[in-house]
Amino acid sequence: MTAGGARGCRDRRDRRESRATRLTLTGVFFGALLTFATRGLGRGKELSLRPFDLLLLGLAASRTGRVVAFERVAEPLRAPFTETVPDDSRVDETVVAEGRGVRFALGELLSCPLCVATWAAALLVYGLHLAPRPTRVFLAIMGATEVAEVTFQSTEALTWVAEAARRRAA
């Protein structure tokens, strides 16, 4: 077998392993959901979320997703599965999955803020039912931080637009 043929077999095996890992993660997610929905709530207590709870959940999940996927503070968590590389513009960096098989599939999960946010939202909903006080503290902190982030990004974008308008007018 040629080196290219061996590499092709390894690549197919890696893709199958990555696919199996993604399916396993999906199974874990839905298995936990089913378990929580049938047993966790089965204590005679319904999960009721007010609109403000949903807003906080959304803000906290979004912030958690961005922290895990992009922030330097979470780099040690991502390090076994991802690599931070300069983006195409060479101005910023991007986080990409590395390795093969399971390692690559987990890297894809950890480098995707929306993917992480989905898992975070699930854990936070479970937390609101199982341990409401600490979960609400976490929701408040991460929700407030996400509002601050949106405010900062909006202010920065408006500043760029204003500076560009001033340059064009000059």
Side-chain angles (χ1 to χ4, degrees), residues 57-116:
L57 278 164
L59 291 168
S62 175
R63 185 75 228 139
T64 302
R66 292 186 56 76
V67 166
V68 171
F70 299 136
E71 301 292 334
R72 290 201 191 278
V73 70
E75 198 164 13
L77 172 69
R78 294 187 312 265
F81 312 102
T82 65
E83 180 180 13
T84 303
V85 297
D87 67 8
D88 292 339
S89 71
R90 302 283 189 229
V91 174
D92 206 353
E93 297 177 324
T94 189
V95 177
V96 294
E98 68 175 3
R100 296 183 166 157
V102 172
R103 185 174 175 218
F104 184 80
L106 290 172
E108 285 182 316
L109 174 68
L110 292 173
S111 64
C112 169
L114 191 54
C115 302
V116 175

Side-chain angles (χ1 to χ4, degrees), residues 114-128:
L114 191 54
C115 302
V116 175
T118 301
W119 284 80
L123 292 173
L124 291 169
V125 167
Y126 304 154
L128 279 174

Side-chain angles (χ1 to χ4, degrees), residues 125-142:
V125 167
Y126 304 154
L128 279 174
H129 182 71
L130 301 172
R133 280 191 179 156
T135 303
R136 285 195 181 282
V137 170
F138 184 82
L139 286 173
I141 292 167
M142 297 306 275

